[in-house]
Amino acid sequence: MDDENARLDRADQVLRTAAAIALDYAGSVDDRRVTPDQDALAALAAFHEPLPDIGADAEDTLRLLHAVGSPATVASTGRHYFGFVTGATYPVALGTSWLASAWDQNAALPVMSPVAATLHDVVRGWLVDLLRLPAGTAVAFVTGATVANAACLASARDALLGRLGWDAQADGLFGAPPFDVVIGERAHSTLSKSLGMVGLGRSRVTVVPADDQGRLRADLLPDIDGPVLVCAQAGEVNTGAFDPFDPIADWLAERSGWLHVDGAFGLWALADPLRSDLVSGLDRADSWATDGHKMLNVTYDCGIAFVRQPDDLRRTFAATAGYLPPGSGFEAMHHTPQSSQRARQAELWSVLRTLGRDGVRRLVAGSCEAATTIAGRLADGGLTVLNEVVLNQVLVRLVDGPTTAALIAEVQADGRIWCGATSWDGATAMRISVSSWKTDLADAGFAADVILECARRVGDRPAHARAQQPSRGAPTGGPPRSRPPRR
């Protein structure tokens, strides 16, 4: 009994040490460089050691992970990260993640986790209501928007082939009757990846030209018969633009087809009634894909697939085995690509309950307001804003592509904020994504100040030097330069 008590005491101490370390990181992330310096990157060599013959002390392992690993993280959970449409993490989401990890539930079936099954039902209802999707829409939690897209597209594939008299789950795709797939010119690369994953092909598609904001031009939809799968977009990854859903749905209504919407971050615009002009007709789709770890700021990873008819998901993903009990309630493993799965719905439940309907609305509106502030300040400072800022994305250029690339390198080396490069109309542009719940108007102004300061440094250099390394004035180590005070 004494040995058992000692073992439990050690386990308790390991968890307390882990919690203290995590709290230390979470409490200091806003004061860190947004990207690690060279010393932090060099220190990662400490992880390259032979697998020990005799195991190490658990607390020592945690302390090493913190001492070496934490300085080498990207501070994407802070308020000055503007890259890749990456959300931060609400404290309630992080806390729920800790508790859910302690639960260690397999959310595959209700019998495996009654709490996960109950939270799924609650969160499904909340999301469908919040996003004003058709009543009865099925919701499946997966790893991210790529797999959410793939899950929806696989369901669309099987439904469309079923209308042609073909059972794809029984007979596969060899010899299956063809149908058309239509995407926009500015469709995200992960949509093409998903089309490839489900056997519909990345290149075997009809591509519709886009306008200057990346919106699919509905007036150029092809003259084809059904069945047809149309993939639209809510939130172009560079500009944040929304495809014209009503005209697309009208075109599709004259054919036998399926409308899917890739809304990795843009789908959350449905939560803000003031953005009705962006989302008109979005509810007419048959499926939608989004992320929770972007705009909603839960931890990685959390993708959400919505399908209008639950039977379409089950047709594609149901799995049977002799040891599986008969169904009672929503069975996640029969509606998602994965069987075993963590209870992602727990964090979504916590964040939605904590924010409420108005809190989610303010989160979306606040991101747009911060993005608009950044765009205005940069335009006033001489940069060219390339997009209509309709949500959380800002696309800018300084003079030309090469000068913009030099500016991006300067900003990233500076370390106080981070934003990345993209290609737009054949030249480099800077993409700024406002996705953190922490980023307010003061942070937006700070980000604009940093970018303009870096632009001045780039502009002061001879033209031939702009493609070289950032100036020596850009810090590469030590504490970051002045930031707005923490609140």
Side-chain angles (χ1 to χ4, degrees):
M1 182 59 70
D2 288 344
D3 287 345
E4 177 66 10
N5 289 337
R7 184 180 67 82
L8 292 175
D9 286 344
R10 285 196 299 274
D12 181 76
Q13 186 56 45
V14 168
L15 294 178
R16 291 181 184 278
T17 297
I21 287 172
L23 287 170
D24 177 67
Y25 180 84
S28 63
V29 69
D30 284 329
D31 297 322
R32 295 174 177 266
R33 278 179 54 92
V34 181
T35 51
D37 60 25
Q38 291 302 313
D39 290 342
L41 295 176
L44 291 172
F47 289 137
H48 293 283
E49 59 179 344
L51 178 67
D53 293 325
I54 299 174
D57 177 77
E59 290 184 71
D60 285 347
T61 297
L62 289 171
R63 293 188 184 102
L64 174 64
L65 185 63
H66 182 42
V68 175
S70 291
T73 60
V74 174
S76 54
T77 59
R79 53 201 175 104
H80 296 133
Y81 185 79
F82 301 95
F84 297 106
V85 204
T86 297
T89 306
Y90 274 114
V92 70
L94 180 59
T96 302
S97 174
W98 293 348
L99 179 57
S101 293
W103 287 350
D104 194 25
Q105 298 290 278
N106 185 345
L109 295 169
V111 70
M112 292 178 168
S113 180
V115 63
T118 298
L119 290 176
H120 179 280
D121 289 343
V122 172
V123 171
R124 186 209 69 82
W126 285 358
L127 287 173
V128 169
D129 177 45
L130 176 69
L131 300 179
R132 296 173 282 158
L133 299 178
T137 294
V139 174
F141 301 111
V142 293
T143 57
T146 301
V147 178
N149 277 322
C152 293
L153 294 173
S155 297
R157 175 200 64 198
D158 293 354
L160 293 176
L161 286 175
R163 297 176 196 175
L164 294 169
W166 187 272
D167 185 344
Q169 289 301 308
D171 301 324
L173 298 181
F174 294 105
F179 61 85
D180 290 295
V181 178
V182 174
I183 68 172
E185 180 185 7
R186 291 287 187 175
H188 195 270
S189 61
T190 56
L191 180 74
S192 296
K193 178 179 181 179
S194 298
L195 286 167
M197 287 169 59
V198 303
L200 296 179
R202 300 188 185 202
S203 301
R204 189 191 160 278
V205 296
T206 298
V207 179
V208 179
D211 67 11
D212 64 346
Q213 294 298 301
R215 295 176 290 242
L216 181 152
R217 286 189 55 184
D219 60 310
L220 296 178
L221 283 163
D223 184 15
I224 56 176
D225 297 323
V228 57
L229 167 61
V230 179
C231 301
Q233 187 167 219
E236 202 280 333
V237 74
N238 294 295
T239 66
F242 286 62
D243 285 344
F245 305 110
D246 267 324
I248 295 171
D250 289 342
W251 177 88
L252 195 59
E254 300 176 0
R255 297 156 177 83
S256 172
W258 181 295
L259 175 56
H260 170 67
V261 177
D262 175 15
F265 63 92
L267 199 68
W268 295 101
L270 285 163
D272 184 359
L274 295 179
R275 310 206 179 275
S276 58
D277 58 323
L278 295 176
V279 301
S280 177
L282 214 165
D283 60 333
R284 298 172 64 184
D286 298 284
S287 60
W288 307 260
T290 193
D291 277 319
H293 54 235
K294 287 184 169 66
M295 291 290 280
L296 202 59
N297 282 236
V298 302
T299 69
Y300 275 87
D301 53 16
C302 180
I304 312 170
F306 299 87
V307 176
R308 181 186 289 267
Q309 299 294 337
D311 288 347
D312 287 327
L313 273 175
R314 189 176 181 92
R315 177 198 296 112
T316 298
F317 296 113
T320 59
Y323 62 87
L324 295 176
S328 60
F330 182 83
E331 300 167 305
M333 68 173 291
H334 297 314
H335 296 80
T336 60
Q338 69 271 13
S339 291
S340 297
Q341 51 196 280
R342 71 182 185 91
R344 295 177 177 90
Q345 56 266 45
E347 287 183 54
L348 289 165
W349 175 84
S350 291
V351 169
L352 290 172
R353 187 177 188 275
T354 301
L355 292 182
R357 188 186 309 275
D358 188 61
V360 178
R361 180 198 63 76
R362 286 187 285 108
L363 175 64
V364 174
S367 295
C368 183
E369 190 175 4
T372 301
T373 297
I374 292 172
R377 292 281 300 275
L378 295 183
D380 291 343
L383 277 72
T384 300
V385 178
L386 303 171
N387 68 316
E388 303 165 11
V389 181
V390 297
L391 199 62
N392 66 326
Q393 300 294 99
V394 183
L395 191 65
V396 298
R397 187 172 286 139
L398 177 63
V399 183
D400 54 21
T403 308
T404 303
L407 170 61
I408 293 167
E410 189 80 19
V411 168
Q412 292 179 356
D414 180 277
R416 288 175 289 172
I417 68 168
W418 198 96
C419 47
T422 189
S423 178
W424 187 258
D425 290 340
T428 299
M430 175 187 286
R431 186 174 69 128
I432 304 161
S433 302
V434 182
S435 306
S436 172
W437 67 274
K438 297 180 180 180
T439 302
D440 59 17
L441 294 184
D443 297 314
F446 174 75
D449 287 343
V450 171
I451 293 170
L452 292 172
E453 179 184 326
C454 290
R456 286 191 291 272
R457 291 204 295 263
V458 168
D460 288 342
R461 293 186 217 152
H464 70 273
R466 290 175 187 167
Q468 300 175 8
Q469 293 297 317
S471 69
R472 295 181 181 274
T476 57
R481 291 188 280 180
S482 60
R483 304 180 185 271
R486 292 181 60 191
R487 293 164 299 284

